[in-house]
Each structure stands twice: as structure tokens, then as C-alpha cells.
CSV table of all heavy atoms in Angstrom, one decimal:
chain,number,residue,atom,x,y,z
A,1,ASP,N,137.9,92.5,0.3
A,1,ASP,CA,139.0,93.3,1.0
A,1,ASP,C,139.1,93.0,2.4
A,1,ASP,O,139.4,93.9,3.3
A,1,ASP,CB,138.9,94.7,0.7
A,1,ASP,CG,139.1,95.1,-0.8
A,1,ASP,OD1,139.8,94.3,-1.4
A,1,ASP,OD2,138.6,96.1,-1.3
A,2,GLY,N,138.9,91.8,2.9
A,2,GLY,CA,139.1,91.4,4.3
A,2,GLY,C,137.8,91.6,5.1
A,2,GLY,O,137.9,91.2,6.2
A,3,ARG,N,136.8,92.3,4.6
A,3,ARG,CA,135.5,92.5,5.4
A,3,ARG,C,134.7,91.4,5.2
A,3,ARG,O,134.1,91.1,4.1
A,3,ARG,CB,135.0,93.9,4.9
A,3,ARG,CG,135.9,95.0,5.3
A,3,ARG,CD,135.1,96.4,4.8
A,3,ARG,NE,136.0,97.5,5.0
A,3,ARG,CZ,135.6,98.8,4.8
A,3,ARG,NH1,134.5,99.0,4.4
A,3,ARG,NH2,136.5,99.8,5.0
A,4,LYS,N,134.3,90.7,6.3
A,4,LYS,CA,133.5,89.5,6.2
A,4,LYS,C,132.1,89.9,5.8
A,4,LYS,O,131.5,90.8,6.3
A,4,LYS,CB,133.6,88.7,7.5
A,4,LYS,CG,134.9,88.0,7.6
A,4,LYS,CD,134.9,87.0,8.8
A,4,LYS,CE,136.1,86.2,8.9
A,4,LYS,NZ,136.0,85.1,9.9
A,5,ILE,N,131.4,89.0,5.0
A,5,ILE,CA,130.1,89.2,4.6
A,5,ILE,C,129.2,88.1,5.3
A,5,ILE,O,129.6,86.9,5.2
A,5,ILE,CB,129.9,89.0,3.1
A,5,ILE,CG1,130.9,89.8,2.3
A,5,ILE,CG2,128.4,89.3,2.7
A,5,ILE,CD1,130.8,91.3,2.5
A,6,ASP,N,128.1,88.5,6.0
A,6,ASP,CA,127.4,87.5,6.7
A,6,ASP,C,126.4,86.8,5.7
A,6,ASP,O,126.3,87.0,4.6
A,6,ASP,CB,126.6,88.1,7.9
A,6,ASP,CG,125.5,89.1,7.6
A,6,ASP,OD1,125.1,89.1,6.3
A,6,ASP,OD2,125.1,89.9,8.4
A,7,ARG,N,125.6,85.9,6.3
A,7,ARG,CA,124.7,85.1,5.5
A,7,ARG,C,123.7,85.9,4.8
A,7,ARG,O,123.1,85.4,3.8
A,7,ARG,CB,124.1,84.0,6.4
A,7,ARG,CG,125.1,83.1,7.2
A,7,ARG,CD,124.3,82.1,8.0
A,7,ARG,NE,125.3,81.4,8.8
A,7,ARG,CZ,125.1,80.2,9.5
A,7,ARG,NH1,123.9,79.7,9.4
A,7,ARG,NH2,126.1,79.7,10.1
A,8,ARG,N,123.3,87.1,5.3
A,8,ARG,CA,122.3,87.9,4.6
A,8,ARG,C,122.8,88.9,3.6
A,8,ARG,O,122.1,89.6,3.1
A,8,ARG,CB,121.5,88.7,5.7
A,8,ARG,CG,120.8,87.8,6.8
A,8,ARG,CD,120.3,88.7,7.9
A,8,ARG,NE,121.4,89.4,8.5
A,8,ARG,CZ,121.3,90.7,8.9
A,8,ARG,NH1,120.2,91.3,8.7
A,8,ARG,NH2,122.3,91.4,9.4
A,9,GLY,N,124.2,88.9,3.6
A,9,GLY,CA,124.8,89.9,2.6
A,9,GLY,C,125.2,91.2,3.2
A,9,GLY,O,125.4,92.2,2.5
A,10,TYR,N,125.3,91.2,4.5
A,10,TYR,CA,125.7,92.5,5.2
A,10,TYR,C,127.1,92.3,5.8
A,10,TYR,O,127.6,91.3,6.0
A,10,TYR,CB,124.7,92.7,6.4
A,10,TYR,CG,123.3,93.3,5.9
A,10,TYR,CD1,122.4,92.3,5.5
A,10,TYR,CD2,123.1,94.6,6.0
A,10,TYR,CE1,121.1,92.9,5.0
A,10,TYR,CE2,121.9,95.1,5.5
A,10,TYR,CZ,120.9,94.2,5.1
A,10,TYR,OH,119.7,94.7,4.7
A,11,TYR,N,127.7,93.5,6.0
A,11,TYR,CA,129.0,93.6,6.6
A,11,TYR,C,129.0,94.7,7.7
A,11,TYR,O,128.1,95.6,7.7
A,11,TYR,CB,130.1,93.9,5.7
A,11,TYR,CG,130.2,95.3,5.1
A,11,TYR,CD1,131.2,96.2,5.6
A,11,TYR,CD2,129.3,95.8,4.2
A,11,TYR,CE1,131.2,97.5,5.1
A,11,TYR,CE2,129.3,97.0,3.7
A,11,TYR,CZ,130.3,97.9,4.1
A,11,TYR,OH,130.4,99.2,3.7
A,12,ASP,N,130.0,94.8,8.5
A,12,ASP,CA,130.0,95.8,9.6
A,12,ASP,C,130.8,97.0,9.1
A,12,ASP,O,132.0,97.0,9.0
A,12,ASP,CB,130.6,95.2,10.8
A,12,ASP,CG,130.7,96.2,12.1
A,12,ASP,OD1,129.7,97.0,12.0
A,12,ASP,OD2,131.5,96.0,12.9
A,13,HIS,N,130.1,98.1,8.9
A,13,HIS,CA,130.7,99.4,8.4
A,13,HIS,C,131.1,100.2,9.7
A,13,HIS,O,130.4,100.2,10.7
A,13,HIS,CB,129.7,100.3,7.6
A,13,HIS,CG,130.2,101.5,7.0
A,13,HIS,ND1,130.5,102.6,7.7
A,13,HIS,CD2,130.7,101.6,5.7
A,13,HIS,CE1,131.0,103.5,6.9
A,13,HIS,NE2,131.1,102.9,5.7
A,14,PRO,N,132.3,100.7,9.7
A,14,PRO,CA,132.8,101.4,10.9
A,14,PRO,C,132.0,102.6,11.4
A,14,PRO,O,131.9,102.9,12.6
A,14,PRO,CB,134.3,101.9,10.5
A,14,PRO,CG,134.2,101.8,9.0
A,14,PRO,CD,133.3,100.8,8.6
A,15,THR,N,131.3,103.2,10.5
A,15,THR,CA,130.4,104.3,10.9
A,15,THR,C,129.0,104.1,10.9
A,15,THR,O,128.2,104.4,11.9
A,15,THR,CB,130.7,105.6,9.9
A,15,THR,OG1,132.1,105.9,10.0
A,15,THR,CG2,129.8,106.8,10.3
A,16,TYR,N,128.5,103.3,9.9
A,16,TYR,CA,127.0,103.1,9.8
A,16,TYR,C,126.5,101.8,10.3
A,16,TYR,O,125.3,101.5,10.3
A,16,TYR,CB,126.7,103.2,8.3
A,16,TYR,CG,126.9,104.6,7.6
A,16,TYR,CD1,127.7,104.6,6.5
A,16,TYR,CD2,126.6,105.7,8.3
A,16,TYR,CE1,128.0,105.9,5.9
A,16,TYR,CE2,126.9,107.0,7.7
A,16,TYR,CZ,127.6,107.0,6.5
A,16,TYR,OH,127.8,108.2,5.9
A,17,GLY,N,127.4,100.9,10.9
A,17,GLY,CA,126.9,99.6,11.3
A,17,GLY,C,126.7,98.6,10.2
A,17,GLY,O,127.5,98.7,9.2
A,18,ASN,N,125.7,97.8,10.3
A,18,ASN,CA,125.4,96.8,9.3
A,18,ASN,C,124.9,97.4,8.0
A,18,ASN,O,123.9,98.1,7.9
A,18,ASN,CB,124.3,95.8,9.8
A,18,ASN,CG,124.9,94.8,10.7
A,18,ASN,OD1,126.2,94.6,10.8
A,18,ASN,ND2,124.1,94.1,11.4
A,19,LEU,N,125.7,97.1,6.9
A,19,LEU,CA,125.2,97.6,5.6
A,19,LEU,C,125.3,96.5,4.6
A,19,LEU,O,126.1,95.6,4.8
A,19,LEU,CB,126.2,98.8,5.1
A,19,LEU,CG,126.0,100.2,5.6
A,19,LEU,CD1,127.0,101.1,5.0
A,19,LEU,CD2,124.6,100.7,5.5
A,20,SER,N,124.6,96.7,3.5
A,20,SER,CA,124.6,95.7,2.4
A,20,SER,C,126.0,95.7,1.8
A,20,SER,O,126.6,96.7,1.6
A,20,SER,CB,123.5,96.0,1.4
A,20,SER,OG,123.8,95.2,0.2
A,21,TRP,N,126.4,94.5,1.4
A,21,TRP,CA,127.8,94.3,0.9
A,21,TRP,C,128.0,95.1,-0.4
A,21,TRP,O,129.1,95.5,-0.7
A,21,TRP,CB,128.1,92.9,0.6
A,21,TRP,CG,127.5,92.4,-0.7
A,21,TRP,CD1,126.1,92.1,-0.9
A,21,TRP,CD2,128.1,92.2,-1.9
A,21,TRP,NE1,126.0,91.7,-2.2
A,21,TRP,CE2,127.2,91.8,-2.8
A,21,TRP,CE3,129.5,92.3,-2.4
A,21,TRP,CZ2,127.4,91.5,-4.2
A,21,TRP,CZ3,129.7,92.0,-3.7
A,21,TRP,CH2,128.7,91.6,-4.6
A,22,GLY,N,126.9,95.5,-1.1
A,22,GLY,CA,127.1,96.3,-2.3
A,22,GLY,C,127.7,97.6,-2.1
A,22,GLY,O,128.3,98.1,-3.1
A,23,HIS,N,127.7,98.1,-0.9
A,23,HIS,CA,128.4,99.5,-0.7
A,23,HIS,C,129.8,99.4,-0.8
A,23,HIS,O,130.5,100.4,-1.1
A,23,HIS,CB,127.9,100.0,0.7
A,23,HIS,CG,128.4,101.4,1.0
A,23,HIS,ND1,128.0,102.5,0.3
A,23,HIS,CD2,129.4,101.8,1.9
A,23,HIS,CE1,128.6,103.6,0.7
A,23,HIS,NE2,129.5,103.2,1.7
A,24,LEU,N,130.3,98.1,-0.5
A,24,LEU,CA,131.8,98.0,-0.7
A,24,LEU,C,132.2,98.1,-2.1
A,24,LEU,O,133.4,98.6,-2.3
A,24,LEU,CB,132.2,96.6,-0.1
A,24,LEU,CG,132.1,96.3,1.4
A,24,LEU,CD1,132.2,94.8,1.7
A,24,LEU,CD2,133.1,97.2,2.1
A,25,VAL,N,131.4,97.8,-3.0
A,25,VAL,CA,131.7,98.0,-4.5
A,25,VAL,C,131.3,99.3,-4.9
A,25,VAL,O,132.2,100.0,-5.4
A,25,VAL,CB,130.9,96.8,-5.3
A,25,VAL,CG1,131.3,97.0,-6.7
A,25,VAL,CG2,131.3,95.5,-4.7
A,26,ARG,N,130.0,99.6,-4.8
A,26,ARG,CA,129.5,100.8,-5.5
A,26,ARG,C,129.7,102.1,-4.7
A,26,ARG,O,129.8,103.2,-5.3
A,26,ARG,CB,128.0,100.6,-5.8
A,26,ARG,CG,127.7,99.4,-6.4
A,26,ARG,CD,126.5,99.4,-7.4
A,26,ARG,NE,126.8,100.2,-8.6
A,26,ARG,CZ,125.9,100.5,-9.5
A,26,ARG,NH1,124.6,100.1,-9.4
A,26,ARG,NH2,126.3,101.0,-10.7
A,27,GLY,N,129.8,102.0,-3.4
A,27,GLY,CA,129.9,103.2,-2.6
A,27,GLY,C,131.4,103.6,-2.0
A,27,GLY,O,131.5,104.6,-1.7
A,28,GLU,N,132.2,102.6,-2.2
A,28,GLU,CA,133.6,102.8,-1.6
A,28,GLU,C,134.7,102.7,-2.7
A,28,GLU,O,135.8,103.0,-2.4
A,28,GLU,CB,133.9,101.9,-0.4
A,28,GLU,CG,133.0,102.1,0.8
A,28,GLU,CD,133.4,101.4,2.0
A,28,GLU,OE1,134.4,100.7,1.9
A,28,GLU,OE2,132.8,101.5,3.1
A,29,LYS,N,134.4,102.2,-3.9
A,29,LYS,CA,135.4,101.9,-4.9
A,29,LYS,C,135.0,102.9,-6.1
A,29,LYS,O,133.9,103.3,-6.3
A,29,LYS,CB,135.4,100.5,-5.3
A,29,LYS,CG,135.9,99.5,-4.2
A,29,LYS,CD,137.4,99.6,-3.9
A,29,LYS,CE,137.9,98.6,-3.0
A,29,LYS,NZ,139.4,98.7,-2.8
A,30,SER,N,136.1,103.0,-6.9
A,30,SER,CA,135.9,103.7,-8.2
A,30,SER,C,136.2,102.8,-9.4
A,30,SER,O,136.8,101.7,-9.2
A,30,SER,CB,136.8,104.9,-8.3
A,30,SER,OG,136.6,105.8,-7.2
A,31,ILE,N,135.8,103.2,-10.5
A,31,ILE,CA,136.1,102.5,-11.7
A,31,ILE,C,137.5,102.3,-12.0
A,31,ILE,O,138.3,103.3,-11.8
A,31,ILE,CB,135.4,103.1,-13.0
A,31,ILE,CG1,133.9,103.0,-12.9
A,31,ILE,CG2,135.9,102.5,-14.2
A,31,ILE,CD1,133.1,103.8,-14.0
A,32,GLY,N,138.0,101.1,-12.1
A,32,GLY,CA,139.5,100.9,-12.3
A,32,GLY,C,140.2,100.4,-11.0
A,32,GLY,O,141.2,99.9,-11.1
A,33,ASP,N,139.4,100.5,-9.9
A,33,ASP,CA,140.0,100.0,-8.6
A,33,ASP,C,140.0,98.5,-8.6
A,33,ASP,O,139.1,97.9,-9.2
A,33,ASP,CB,139.2,100.5,-7.4
A,33,ASP,CG,139.5,102.0,-7.1
A,33,ASP,OD1,140.4,102.5,-7.8
A,33,ASP,OD2,138.7,102.6,-6.3
A,34,THR,N,140.9,97.9,-7.9
A,34,THR,CA,140.9,96.5,-7.7
A,34,THR,C,140.5,96.1,-6.3
A,34,THR,O,140.8,96.8,-5.3
A,34,THR,CB,142.4,96.0,-7.9
A,34,THR,OG1,142.8,96.3,-9.2
A,34,THR,CG2,142.5,94.5,-7.7
A,35,MET,N,139.8,95.1,-6.2
A,35,MET,CA,139.4,94.5,-4.9
A,35,MET,C,139.6,93.0,-4.8
A,35,MET,O,139.6,92.3,-5.8
A,35,MET,CB,137.9,94.8,-4.6
A,35,MET,CG,136.9,94.1,-5.6
A,35,MET,SD,135.1,94.3,-5.0
A,35,MET,CE,135.1,95.7,-4.0
A,36,THR,N,139.9,92.6,-3.6
A,36,THR,CA,140.2,91.1,-3.3
A,36,THR,C,138.9,90.4,-2.8
A,36,THR,O,138.4,90.9,-1.8
A,36,THR,CB,141.3,91.0,-2.4
A,36,THR,OG1,142.5,91.6,-2.8
A,36,THR,CG2,141.7,89.6,-2.1
A,37,LEU,N,138.5,89.4,-3.6
A,37,LEU,CA,137.3,88.7,-3.1
A,37,LEU,C,137.8,87.3,-2.5
A,37,LEU,O,138.5,86.5,-3.2
A,37,LEU,CB,136.4,88.4,-4.3
A,37,LEU,CG,135.9,89.7,-5.0
A,37,LEU,CD1,135.3,89.3,-6.3
A,37,LEU,CD2,134.9,90.4,-4.1
């Protein structure tokens, strides 16, 4: 969804700083949501 993933699998969260990319899927989305990869 436009948030770049670095070589270690992290992205820049606006509140928490560097987080694992998995939070973009499991922590911010719901079942049935669509994301752009």
C-alpha cells in the first residue's frame, strides 16, 4: 500500500517507528480487505 519495505523486512510506522512488515497485514488490515503489493 505504498509503504516501502527495507531489506530486513521493516517499514516506517508513523507512531512506532521501524516495525516488521507483517503488521501491515495482520495488525492494520481485516479479513476481506484488499492491499496493493
Side-chain angles (χ1 to χ4, degrees):
D1 288 337
R3 297 183 183 181
K4 289 193 173 184
I5 312 298
D6 69 18
R7 304 179 185 197
R8 301 170 304 141
Y10 284 80
Y11 76 102
D12 186 25
H13 188 280
T15 303
Y16 299 130
N18 280 346
L19 284 183
S20 170
W21 78 285
H23 185 66
L24 289 169
V25 179
R26 311 210 75 182
E28 295 190 1
K29 294 288 186 178
S30 299
I31 292 173
D33 286 352
T34 299
M35 61 171 27
T36 301
L37 302 168

